[in-house]
Amino acid sequence: MEENRNLLTVKGISKIYYKREVEIRAVDRADLDIRRGEWITLWGPSGSGKSTLLYLLGTLLQPDEGTYQFEDEMLAGTASLDYISTTNDKKLSAFRAEKIGFIFQDYNLLDDKTALENVMQPAKYLVNPKPESEVRQRAEALLKQVDMTDRMEHFPGELSGGQEQRVAIARAMMNKPSLLLADEPTGNLDSANHNMVLELMRELNREGVTVIVASHNPEVAEIADRVVKLKDGKIDEIASRI
Ligand SMILES: Nc1ncnc2c1ncn2[C@@H]1O[C@H](COP(=O)(O)OP(=O)(O)OP(=O)(O)O)[C@@H](O)[C@H]1O
Ligand SMILES: [Mg+2]
C-alpha cells in the first residue's frame, strides 16, 4: 500500500461568526492538504483569516462546516461533527497534546511556573503520562537545545521576549508533535531574536516536523515550501512564493 503523504487534510472547512445577525465567514470553505515534513506559511492581509485557519487546523477552534482528517483519525467535519462536539475535552486535548505543538505571538507561558515547569506542562495532558523524571530530563534537554539552560528556574516575568519564545518552542516540542503551528511567532521580537526563533523552527522542520506559520513577514514566506494566500477567509492561491 502506498504511504499517505498527507499529514492533515481539510475539505470545505469554515468558521462562521454572527455579528448583529450578519454572517462573517472568518474562514470560508477552505480545502488544504498538508504534506508530511513541509513548511507552509499562511499569508494575507489583516483580517483575512490566517489565525482562524491556524486554530481550526490545531483543533483549538471547531469548524462549522467541512471535514478534518489528521492521519487516519477523523476528528471533525459535517459527517462527524457530533463526534467532535461529543468527544470530551479530555480526549481532544490529549490528541492535541500528542500531535500538535503551538507557538503564539505573545508566548502564552504560565506566569506562575518556571521555564522548566512550562516546558514540562504538555506532558500532563498525555493519555499515558510518563514518569516525572523522564519528563524533566527531556525538558532540560529541550531547554539546552534552545540555549536556555541558564534560565531554567526563571519565571516568564524574569525573561526577555526572545527568551520567552525560546521556552515556548521547547514547550511546543515536549511531546514530539508531528505538527508545529505558529501564529506570528516573531511578531513581537527584534531582528536578532526573530532570526534565532526562525532558525530554531527551521531546524525542527529539517528534523521532519511539519510546520505551519501565519505571518506578515516576507522572510517567513520565503522559507516556505508553499505559501497559502488568504483573502476574505478564502484560500485565494497556493504558490511557492508571495
Ligand atoms: N471571535 C470572533 N468573533 C467574531 N469575528 C471574529 C472572531 N475572530 C475573528 N473574527 C473575524 O474573522 C476574520 C478573520 O480574523 P483572523 O484573526 O483570523 O485574521 P488574521 O488574518 O489572523 O488577521 P491579523 O493579520 O490581523 O492577525 C476577521 O474579520 C475577524 O474580525
Ligand atoms: Mg492573526
Side-chain angles (χ1 to χ4, degrees):
M1 212 173 78
E2 194 181 319
E3 202 195 338
N4 186 3
R5 284 177 67 211
N6 290 343
L7 177 69
L8 172 59
T9 306
V10 296
K11 288 200 171 81
I13 206 166
S14 300
K15 185 71 196 171
I16 305 167
Y17 294 110
Y18 293 92
K19 212 67 190 173
R20 296 200 190 88
E21 288 167 37
V22 177
E23 184 185 275
I24 299 168
R25 289 181 163 259
V27 169
D28 192 7
R29 288 161 281 188
D31 297 326
L32 192 58
D33 293 334
I34 290 131
R35 301 166 192 155
R36 283 171 206 279
E38 74 172 333
W39 178 305
I40 287 182
T41 296
L42 302 181
W43 187 259
S46 181
S48 59
K50 302 182 295 295
S51 297
T52 309
L53 179 57
L54 198 72
Y55 296 165
L56 287 170
L57 296 174
T59 73
L60 290 175
L61 282 176
Q62 291 178 17
D64 296 303
E65 299 171 344
T67 59
Y68 178 106
Q69 188 159 13
F70 195 99
E71 292 174 2
D72 304 315
E73 294 153 273
M74 185 60 97
L75 270 180
T78 28
S80 53
L81 207 57
D82 282 354
Y83 177 76
I84 200 166
S85 50
T86 54
T87 298
N88 57 40
D89 284 352
K90 216 173 153 190
K91 198 166 170 189
L92 190 59
S93 66
F95 159 79
R96 208 185 288 130
E98 200 162 301
K99 302 285 185 184
I100 306 174
F102 291 93
I103 306 173
F104 301 93
Q105 178 168 359
D106 52 5
Y107 328 123
N108 279 14
L109 299 177
L110 299 173
D111 288 333
D112 60 347
K113 297 202 182 293
T114 64
L116 183 66
E117 289 165 346
N118 266 285
V119 177
M120 292 170 69
Q121 191 71 15
K124 293 193 165 64
Y125 302 110
L126 292 174
V127 180
N128 300 309
K130 298 194 163 54
E132 162 117 6
S133 59
E134 196 179 308
V135 172
R136 180 175 298 267
Q137 238 175 33
R138 172 154 174 83
E140 286 171 358
L142 286 165
L143 282 165
K144 185 165 183 232
Q145 205 180 332
V146 298
D147 200 18
M148 286 291 291
T149 300
D150 56 348
R151 294 286 187 281
M152 289 199 297
E153 298 305 329
H154 284 232
F155 289 91
E158 300 165 341
L159 297 172
S160 74
Q163 290 172 336
E164 282 193 79
Q165 198 60 308
R166 279 142 63 192
V167 173
I169 293 174
R171 177 183 60 181
M173 297 315 297
M174 182 68 221
N175 296 336
K176 303 185 181 156
S178 33
L179 180 61
L180 179 64
L181 301 180
D183 197 2
E184 304 280 359
T186 67
N188 290 349
L189 301 179
D190 63 20
S191 73
N193 280 297
H194 162 90
N195 291 340
M196 193 185 306
V197 163
L198 272 196
E199 195 38 56
L200 282 168
M201 291 176 62
R202 293 187 79 166
E203 201 176 302
L204 295 168
N205 184 236
R206 283 194 289 266
E207 288 166 11
V209 181
T210 306
V211 176
I212 308 178
V213 192
S215 180
H216 285 114
N217 191 309
E219 214 182 301
V220 181
E222 272 164 33
I223 292 171
D225 296 306
R226 293 194 295 162
V227 181
V228 173
K229 299 179 192 176
L230 290 163
K231 201 172 164 184
D232 299 329
K234 290 190 173 67
I235 294 181
D236 192 38
E237 191 191 355
I238 300 178
S240 57
R241 57 181 65 85
I242 47 176

PDB file of all heavy atoms in Angstrom, residues 17-19 24-27 44-53 105 183-184 214 216 230 233, ligand 1:
ATOM      1  N   TYR A  17     -18.935  33.384  12.144  1.00  0.00           N
ATOM      2  CA  TYR A  17     -19.356  34.181  13.302  1.00  0.00           C
ATOM      3  C   TYR A  17     -20.559  35.022  12.899  1.00  0.00           C
ATOM      4  O   TYR A  17     -20.724  35.381  11.734  1.00  0.00           O
ATOM      5  CB  TYR A  17     -18.220  35.107  13.758  1.00  0.00           C
ATOM      6  CG  TYR A  17     -17.024  34.375  14.311  1.00  0.00           C
ATOM      7  CD1 TYR A  17     -15.814  34.339  13.615  1.00  0.00           C
ATOM      8  CD2 TYR A  17     -17.103  33.714  15.532  1.00  0.00           C
ATOM      9  CE1 TYR A  17     -14.713  33.665  14.121  1.00  0.00           C
ATOM     10  CE2 TYR A  17     -16.004  33.036  16.051  1.00  0.00           C
ATOM     11  CZ  TYR A  17     -14.814  33.014  15.337  1.00  0.00           C
ATOM     12  OH  TYR A  17     -13.739  32.343  15.850  1.00  0.00           O
ATOM     13  N   TYR A  18     -21.389  35.324  13.865  1.00  0.00           N
ATOM     14  CA  TYR A  18     -22.536  36.207  13.610  1.00  0.00           C
ATOM     15  C   TYR A  18     -22.398  37.458  14.450  1.00  0.00           C
ATOM     16  O   TYR A  18     -22.159  37.376  15.651  1.00  0.00           O
ATOM     17  CB  TYR A  18     -23.850  35.489  13.932  1.00  0.00           C
ATOM     18  CG  TYR A  18     -24.114  34.348  12.985  1.00  0.00           C
ATOM     19  CD1 TYR A  18     -23.681  33.061  13.299  1.00  0.00           C
ATOM     20  CD2 TYR A  18     -24.744  34.564  11.766  1.00  0.00           C
ATOM     21  CE1 TYR A  18     -23.883  32.009  12.417  1.00  0.00           C
ATOM     22  CE2 TYR A  18     -24.953  33.525  10.874  1.00  0.00           C
ATOM     23  CZ  TYR A  18     -24.513  32.244  11.211  1.00  0.00           C
ATOM     24  OH  TYR A  18     -24.709  31.209  10.337  1.00  0.00           O
ATOM     25  N   LYS A  19     -22.510  38.598  13.785  1.00  0.00           N
ATOM     26  CA  LYS A  19     -22.468  39.871  14.499  1.00  0.00           C
ATOM     27  C   LYS A  19     -23.715  40.625  14.078  1.00  0.00           C
ATOM     28  O   LYS A  19     -23.865  40.965  12.901  1.00  0.00           O
ATOM     29  CB  LYS A  19     -21.181  40.615  14.083  1.00  0.00           C
ATOM     30  CG  LYS A  19     -20.544  41.485  15.120  1.00  0.00           C
ATOM     31  CD  LYS A  19     -19.969  40.747  16.280  1.00  0.00           C
ATOM     32  CE  LYS A  19     -19.559  41.650  17.420  1.00  0.00           C
ATOM     33  NZ  LYS A  19     -19.154  40.887  18.590  1.00  0.00           N
ATOM     34  N   ILE A  24     -20.301  36.426   9.327  1.00  0.00           N
ATOM     35  CA  ILE A  24     -18.897  36.667   8.958  1.00  0.00           C
ATOM     36  C   ILE A  24     -18.224  35.313   8.802  1.00  0.00           C
ATOM     37  O   ILE A  24     -18.184  34.529   9.748  1.00  0.00           O
ATOM     38  CB  ILE A  24     -18.149  37.456  10.068  1.00  0.00           C
ATOM     39  CG1 ILE A  24     -18.800  38.812  10.288  1.00  0.00           C
ATOM     40  CG2 ILE A  24     -16.669  37.614   9.716  1.00  0.00           C
ATOM     41  CD1 ILE A  24     -18.302  39.520  11.537  1.00  0.00           C
ATOM     42  N   ARG A  25     -17.763  35.055   7.582  1.00  0.00           N
ATOM     43  CA  ARG A  25     -17.053  33.799   7.360  1.00  0.00           C
ATOM     44  C   ARG A  25     -15.560  34.049   7.540  1.00  0.00           C
ATOM     45  O   ARG A  25     -14.869  34.436   6.603  1.00  0.00           O
ATOM     46  CB  ARG A  25     -17.373  33.249   5.966  1.00  0.00           C
ATOM     47  CG  ARG A  25     -18.794  32.734   5.888  1.00  0.00           C
ATOM     48  CD  ARG A  25     -19.128  32.155   4.534  1.00  0.00           C
ATOM     49  NE  ARG A  25     -20.325  31.336   4.669  1.00  0.00           N
ATOM     50  CZ  ARG A  25     -20.304  30.005   4.758  1.00  0.00           C
ATOM     51  NH1 ARG A  25     -19.174  29.336   4.658  1.00  0.00           N
ATOM     52  NH2 ARG A  25     -21.419  29.326   4.921  1.00  0.00           N
ATOM     53  N   ALA A  26     -15.097  33.860   8.776  1.00  0.00           N
ATOM     54  CA  ALA A  26     -13.684  34.121   9.101  1.00  0.00           C
ATOM     55  C   ALA A  26     -12.793  33.187   8.290  1.00  0.00           C
ATOM     56  O   ALA A  26     -11.723  33.575   7.823  1.00  0.00           O
ATOM     57  CB  ALA A  26     -13.449  33.938  10.589  1.00  0.00           C
ATOM     58  N   VAL A  27     -13.235  31.936   8.124  1.00  0.00           N
ATOM     59  CA  VAL A  27     -12.642  31.010   7.160  1.00  0.00           C
ATOM     60  C   VAL A  27     -13.798  30.450   6.350  1.00  0.00           C
ATOM     61  O   VAL A  27     -14.822  30.054   6.907  1.00  0.00           O
ATOM     62  CB  VAL A  27     -11.850  29.879   7.853  1.00  0.00           C
ATOM     63  CG1 VAL A  27     -11.470  28.791   6.858  1.00  0.00           C
ATOM     64  CG2 VAL A  27     -10.597  30.438   8.532  1.00  0.00           C
ATOM     65  N   GLY A  44      -1.555  36.831   4.093  1.00  0.00           N
ATOM     66  CA  GLY A  44      -2.740  37.598   3.696  1.00  0.00           C
ATOM     67  C   GLY A  44      -2.899  38.806   4.588  1.00  0.00           C
ATOM     68  O   GLY A  44      -2.323  38.868   5.667  1.00  0.00           O
ATOM     69  N   PRO A  45      -3.703  39.766   4.147  1.00  0.00           N
ATOM     70  CA  PRO A  45      -3.874  40.983   4.940  1.00  0.00           C
ATOM     71  C   PRO A  45      -4.527  40.715   6.290  1.00  0.00           C
ATOM     72  O   PRO A  45      -5.105  39.634   6.503  1.00  0.00           O
ATOM     73  CB  PRO A  45      -4.789  41.853   4.061  1.00  0.00           C
ATOM     74  CG  PRO A  45      -5.352  40.969   3.022  1.00  0.00           C
ATOM     75  CD  PRO A  45      -4.465  39.773   2.895  1.00  0.00           C
ATOM     76  N   SER A  46      -4.443  41.685   7.166  1.00  0.00           N
ATOM     77  CA  SER A  46      -5.081  41.587   8.476  1.00  0.00           C
ATOM     78  C   SER A  46      -6.572  41.315   8.295  1.00  0.00           C
ATOM     79  O   SER A  46      -7.226  41.944   7.470  1.00  0.00           O
ATOM     80  CB  SER A  46      -4.855  42.912   9.215  1.00  0.00           C
ATOM     81  OG  SER A  46      -5.440  42.832  10.474  1.00  0.00           O
ATOM     82  N   GLY A  47      -7.072  40.345   9.033  1.00  0.00           N
ATOM     83  CA  GLY A  47      -8.491  40.006   8.937  1.00  0.00           C
ATOM     84  C   GLY A  47      -8.830  38.995   7.860  1.00  0.00           C
ATOM     85  O   GLY A  47      -9.993  38.638   7.676  1.00  0.00           O
ATOM     86  N   SER A  48      -7.810  38.486   7.150  1.00  0.00           N
ATOM     87  CA  SER A  48      -8.091  37.555   6.050  1.00  0.00           C
ATOM     88  C   SER A  48      -8.351  36.124   6.533  1.00  0.00           C
ATOM     89  O   SER A  48      -8.757  35.279   5.736  1.00  0.00           O
ATOM     90  CB  SER A  48      -6.945  37.575   5.031  1.00  0.00           C
ATOM     91  OG  SER A  48      -5.728  37.227   5.639  1.00  0.00           O
ATOM     92  N   GLY A  49      -8.102  35.857   7.822  1.00  0.00           N
ATOM     93  CA  GLY A  49      -8.457  34.540   8.360  1.00  0.00           C
ATOM     94  C   GLY A  49      -7.287  33.635   8.700  1.00  0.00           C
ATOM     95  O   GLY A  49      -7.484  32.452   8.980  1.00  0.00           O
ATOM     96  N   LYS A  50      -6.074  34.185   8.720  1.00  0.00           N
ATOM     97  CA  LYS A  50      -4.882  33.365   8.976  1.00  0.00           C
ATOM     98  C   LYS A  50      -4.949  32.679  10.345  1.00  0.00           C
ATOM     99  O   LYS A  50      -4.772  31.469  10.449  1.00  0.00           O
ATOM    100  CB  LYS A  50      -3.602  34.227   8.903  1.00  0.00           C
ATOM    101  CG  LYS A  50      -3.412  34.928   7.583  1.00  0.00           C
ATOM    102  CD  LYS A  50      -2.123  35.733   7.547  1.00  0.00           C
ATOM    103  CE  LYS A  50      -2.081  36.893   8.523  1.00  0.00           C
ATOM    104  NZ  LYS A  50      -3.073  37.950   8.232  1.00  0.00           N
ATOM    105  N   SER A  51      -5.190  33.483  11.388  1.00  0.00           N
ATOM    106  CA  SER A  51      -5.214  32.907  12.743  1.00  0.00           C
ATOM    107  C   SER A  51      -6.354  31.911  12.877  1.00  0.00           C
ATOM    108  O   SER A  51      -6.185  30.833  13.458  1.00  0.00           O
ATOM    109  CB  SER A  51      -5.384  34.004  13.800  1.00  0.00           C
ATOM    110  OG  SER A  51      -4.290  34.875  13.772  1.00  0.00           O
ATOM    111  N   THR A  52      -7.512  32.266  12.336  1.00  0.00           N
ATOM    112  CA  THR A  52      -8.669  31.375  12.451  1.00  0.00           C
ATOM    113  C   THR A  52      -8.392  30.032  11.773  1.00  0.00           C
ATOM    114  O   THR A  52      -8.673  28.974  12.343  1.00  0.00           O
ATOM    115  CB  THR A  52      -9.925  32.046  11.840  1.00  0.00           C
ATOM    116  OG1 THR A  52     -10.059  33.349  12.410  1.00  0.00           O
ATOM    117  CG2 THR A  52     -11.173  31.237  12.120  1.00  0.00           C
ATOM    118  N   LEU A  53      -7.802  30.073  10.572  1.00  0.00           N
ATOM    119  CA  LEU A  53      -7.474  28.819   9.883  1.00  0.00           C
ATOM    120  C   LEU A  53      -6.461  28.012  10.697  1.00  0.00           C
ATOM    121  O   LEU A  53      -6.594  26.793  10.859  1.00  0.00           O
ATOM    122  CB  LEU A  53      -6.936  29.106   8.471  1.00  0.00           C
ATOM    123  CG  LEU A  53      -6.528  27.875   7.656  1.00  0.00           C
ATOM    124  CD1 LEU A  53      -7.683  26.878   7.502  1.00  0.00           C
ATOM    125  CD2 LEU A  53      -5.998  28.269   6.272  1.00  0.00           C
ATOM    126  N   GLN A 105       2.218  34.535  19.222  1.00  0.00           N
ATOM    127  CA  GLN A 105       2.942  35.808  19.177  1.00  0.00           C
ATOM    128  C   GLN A 105       3.310  36.300  20.576  1.00  0.00           C
ATOM    129  O   GLN A 105       4.392  36.817  20.805  1.00  0.00           O
ATOM    130  CB  GLN A 105       2.062  36.863  18.478  1.00  0.00           C
ATOM    131  CG  GLN A 105       2.710  38.229  18.417  1.00  0.00           C
ATOM    132  CD  GLN A 105       1.978  39.186  17.481  1.00  0.00           C
ATOM    133  OE1 GLN A 105       0.975  38.821  16.855  1.00  0.00           O
ATOM    134  NE2 GLN A 105       2.476  40.388  17.378  1.00  0.00           N
ATOM    135  N   ASP A 183       1.566  31.232  15.293  1.00  0.00           N
ATOM    136  CA  ASP A 183       0.833  32.437  14.890  1.00  0.00           C
ATOM    137  C   ASP A 183       1.716  33.653  15.132  1.00  0.00           C
ATOM    138  O   ASP A 183       1.951  34.021  16.283  1.00  0.00           O
ATOM    139  CB  ASP A 183      -0.469  32.548  15.691  1.00  0.00           C
ATOM    140  CG  ASP A 183      -1.444  33.527  15.045  1.00  0.00           C
ATOM    141  OD1 ASP A 183      -1.131  34.077  13.975  1.00  0.00           O
ATOM    142  OD2 ASP A 183      -2.525  33.738  15.625  1.00  0.00           O
ATOM    143  N   GLU A 184       2.232  34.245  14.075  1.00  0.00           N
ATOM    144  CA  GLU A 184       3.138  35.401  14.168  1.00  0.00           C
ATOM    145  C   GLU A 184       4.200  35.191  15.240  1.00  0.00           C
ATOM    146  O   GLU A 184       4.332  36.013  16.156  1.00  0.00           O
ATOM    147  CB  GLU A 184       2.333  36.672  14.513  1.00  0.00           C
ATOM    148  CG  GLU A 184       1.216  36.992  13.556  1.00  0.00           C
ATOM    149  CD  GLU A 184       1.679  37.678  12.293  1.00  0.00           C
ATOM    150  OE1 GLU A 184       2.894  37.930  12.155  1.00  0.00           O
ATOM    151  OE2 GLU A 184       0.834  37.927  11.429  1.00  0.00           O
ATOM    152  N   ALA A 214       1.480  31.377  10.472  1.00  0.00           N
ATOM    153  CA  ALA A 214       0.773  32.572   9.996  1.00  0.00           C
ATOM    154  C   ALA A 214       1.701  33.746  10.215  1.00  0.00           C
ATOM    155  O   ALA A 214       2.207  33.933  11.327  1.00  0.00           O
ATOM    156  CB  ALA A 214      -0.523  32.772  10.782  1.00  0.00           C
ATOM    157  N   HIS A 216       3.096  37.934   8.701  1.00  0.00           N
ATOM    158  CA  HIS A 216       3.127  39.078   7.784  1.00  0.00           C
ATOM    159  C   HIS A 216       4.525  39.302   7.244  1.00  0.00           C
ATOM    160  O   HIS A 216       4.749  40.218   6.463  1.00  0.00           O
ATOM    161  CB  HIS A 216       2.747  40.371   8.533  1.00  0.00           C
ATOM    162  CG  HIS A 216       1.299  40.487   8.827  1.00  0.00           C
ATOM    163  ND1 HIS A 216       0.787  40.478  10.100  1.00  0.00           N
ATOM    164  CD2 HIS A 216       0.228  40.617   8.006  1.00  0.00           C
ATOM    165  CE1 HIS A 216      -0.517  40.602  10.040  1.00  0.00           C
ATOM    166  NE2 HIS A 216      -0.888  40.679   8.783  1.00  0.00           N
ATOM    167  N   LEU A 230      -4.464  33.939   1.693  1.00  0.00           N
ATOM    168  CA  LEU A 230      -5.856  34.067   2.101  1.00  0.00           C
ATOM    169  C   LEU A 230      -6.404  35.449   1.755  1.00  0.00           C
ATOM    170  O   LEU A 230      -5.667  36.446   1.800  1.00  0.00           O
ATOM    171  CB  LEU A 230      -5.982  33.845   3.611  1.00  0.00           C
ATOM    172  CG  LEU A 230      -5.738  32.415   4.068  1.00  0.00           C
ATOM    173  CD1 LEU A 230      -5.476  32.362   5.555  1.00  0.00           C
ATOM    174  CD2 LEU A 230      -6.929  31.543   3.728  1.00  0.00           C
ATOM    175  N   GLY A 233     -11.130  35.252   4.089  1.00  0.00           N
ATOM    176  CA  GLY A 233     -11.453  33.924   4.620  1.00  0.00           C
ATOM    177  C   GLY A 233     -11.307  32.788   3.631  1.00  0.00           C
ATOM    178  O   GLY A 233     -11.430  31.616   4.001  1.00  0.00           O
TER     179      GLY A 233
HETATM  180  N1  LIG B   1     -14.341  35.595  17.857  1.00  0.00           N
HETATM  181  C1  LIG B   1     -14.683  36.279  16.767  1.00  0.00           C
HETATM  182  N2  LIG B   1     -15.913  36.818  16.649  1.00  0.00           N
HETATM  183  C2  LIG B   1     -16.286  37.486  15.529  1.00  0.00           C
HETATM  184  N3  LIG B   1     -15.470  37.672  14.467  1.00  0.00           N
HETATM  185  C3  LIG B   1     -14.226  37.166  14.536  1.00  0.00           C
HETATM  186  C4  LIG B   1     -13.771  36.441  15.677  1.00  0.00           C
HETATM  187  N4  LIG B   1     -12.484  36.052  15.438  1.00  0.00           N
HETATM  188  C5  LIG B   1     -12.173  36.518  14.216  1.00  0.00           C
HETATM  189  N5  LIG B   1     -13.207  37.184  13.665  1.00  0.00           N
HETATM  190  C6  LIG B   1     -13.217  37.814  12.334  1.00  0.00           C
HETATM  191  O1  LIG B   1     -12.742  36.890  11.399  1.00  0.00           O
HETATM  192  C7  LIG B   1     -11.895  37.495  10.435  1.00  0.00           C
HETATM  193  C8  LIG B   1     -10.539  36.787  10.396  1.00  0.00           C
HETATM  194  O2  LIG B   1      -9.818  37.036  11.605  1.00  0.00           O
HETATM  195  P1  LIG B   1      -8.348  36.460  11.866  1.00  0.00           P
HETATM  196  O3  LIG B   1      -7.988  36.808  13.249  1.00  0.00           O
HETATM  197  O4  LIG B   1      -8.346  35.027  11.504  1.00  0.00           O
HETATM  198  O5  LIG B   1      -7.490  37.295  10.823  1.00  0.00           O
HETATM  199  P2  LIG B   1      -5.912  37.341  10.597  1.00  0.00           P
HETATM  200  O6  LIG B   1      -5.664  37.091   9.154  1.00  0.00           O
HETATM  201  O7  LIG B   1      -5.227  36.442  11.575  1.00  0.00           O
HETATM  202  O8  LIG B   1      -5.568  38.866  10.902  1.00  0.00           O
HETATM  203  P3  LIG B   1      -4.230  39.511  11.559  1.00  0.00           P
HETATM  204  O9  LIG B   1      -3.208  39.548  10.438  1.00  0.00           O
HETATM  205  O10 LIG B   1      -4.655  40.889  11.933  1.00  0.00           O
HETATM  206  O11 LIG B   1      -3.798  38.679  12.713  1.00  0.00           O
HETATM  207  C9  LIG B   1     -11.819  38.963  10.823  1.00  0.00           C
HETATM  208  O12 LIG B   1     -12.730  39.663  10.025  1.00  0.00           O
HETATM  209  C10 LIG B   1     -12.262  38.977  12.267  1.00  0.00           C
HETATM  210  O13 LIG B   1     -12.877  40.180  12.594  1.00  0.00           O
END
